[in-house]
Amino acid sequence: MDKNFQEEFTQIIKFKPPLYKQRHQFIKDLVEKYRPKKVADLGCADCSLLRMLKFCSCIEVLAGLDICANVMKEKMHTLSPLPVDYLQPSERSLTVTLHHGSVAHKDPCMLGFDLVTCIELIEHLEEPELKKFPEVVFGFMAPSIVVISTPNSEFNPLLPGVMLYRHPDHKFEWNQAQFQSWALETARCYDYSVEFTGVGHPPTGMEKAGFCTQIGVFVRKYPQAGESVQSEKPTEAVYKTVFKAVYPSLKDEKYLQNAVISEVIFTAQIIKHRLMSKREEYGDDPERKSKFQPSMDCFSDYLGKLVVEKNMEPFISGNEVYIPLATIFSFPKVNRLCGTFEKLCKLIAGKVTLSSDGSAVMFNIENEEN
Ligand code: SAH
């Protein structure tokens, strides 16, 4: 909503990048600094901030809340996983959920968050909602960090066309002293500290006007005592979930198994290919036949080292090529995916053709030229 308005006054004061992008960038920088796992955006509107945050690798749970279901639904499909997310599942897990409801009501789905953002939200709240807001966000949700941004009314005279408020839906706009006294009182009440900053610098000579968007960053003073605190907060669910996406992740055994099988076959194929090229090169020399020889490239060097140091040599016998699982497990990507050799064996069991003793991947090369 505020975005359109923004465009109107950029004629004279042109923020670069646009102010809404600066606000979102501010949150992204904060996420990169504090690395929260669970982030909720209250008054998320068209989910543009959530769309940006889903790329932050530390975040495992993202939630949005808005009182207007339609505005959330407009672009919520853009929060769904893309084909590439299925082709290359991420190592982290990520769940994105959108809820329809009001910040004036408590709902247990909002418990356990590390960071809660309220970007250009409070000025849209009616007085009774604004009164309840601190108890819901700071008292009930009680995340480690809360970020609240709101227009700074002292900047309004610098914005052409702004008569009373910047947006027709705004119920109020505070000057710096009003916002800061509300924020300090809220912080004091709920044991948070608060620091003030903003985005959208005033023009030279007008510094007293302050930032166009004023921001309060609240940090909880004392850690929460964990689960027990949450269980002391029984409340009925009042929000309606309108969207939920669970991203494919290697933490899910099903995706991990697929990734391991692909990587094992890929690694084994390369080793087989090298082995067979060498055989062609050295022909039937009984000393060198079927043996792997180190060569100039990294892969072969690495493999050569394994062969020499650990006796994990791939070999050809008749129409079969055998690539020891121990050799495959030594490759960093396979190793990182599986963690242990036992896990590797478990994940590929019945899915990859193995030698009779199960110690090597086996390929039949009867019909292969090379
Ligand atoms: N945060 C967004 C949009 C801010 S506009 C951004 O940065 O661009 C304010 C949003 O707050 C609107 O989408 C509006 O529907 C929502 N809103 C207003 N009152 C609300 C309430 N009581 N609870 C939750 N959301 C509310």
Side-chain angles (χ1 to χ4, degrees), residues 1-3 20 23-24 41-46 48-49 65-68 71 101-104 118-121 124-125 129 169:
M1 272 190 229
D2 286 357
K3 279 178 217 164
Y20 77 92
R23 288 192 285 261
H24 291 179
D41 185 30
L42 312 183
C44 64
D46 65 358
S48 49
L49 178 60
L65 171 73
D66 206 287
I67 202 162
C68 177
V71 68
S102 171
V103 286
C118 311
I119 307 303
E120 308 297 273
L121 165 70
H124 291 266
L125 303 180
E129 293 175 314
D169 189 52

Side-chain angles (χ1 to χ4, degrees), residues 169 173 260 321 323 327 335 338:
D169 189 52
E173 284 177 6
V260 168
V321 176
I323 323 282
T327 308
N335 196 290
C338 305

Side-chain angles (χ1 to χ4, degrees), residues 45-60:
D46 65 358
C47 311
S48 49
L49 178 60
L50 297 172
R51 230 175 343 270
M52 184 184 206
L53 294 181
K54 82 170 193 170
F55 295 102
C56 296
S57 61
C58 58
I59 297 178
E60 295 180 0

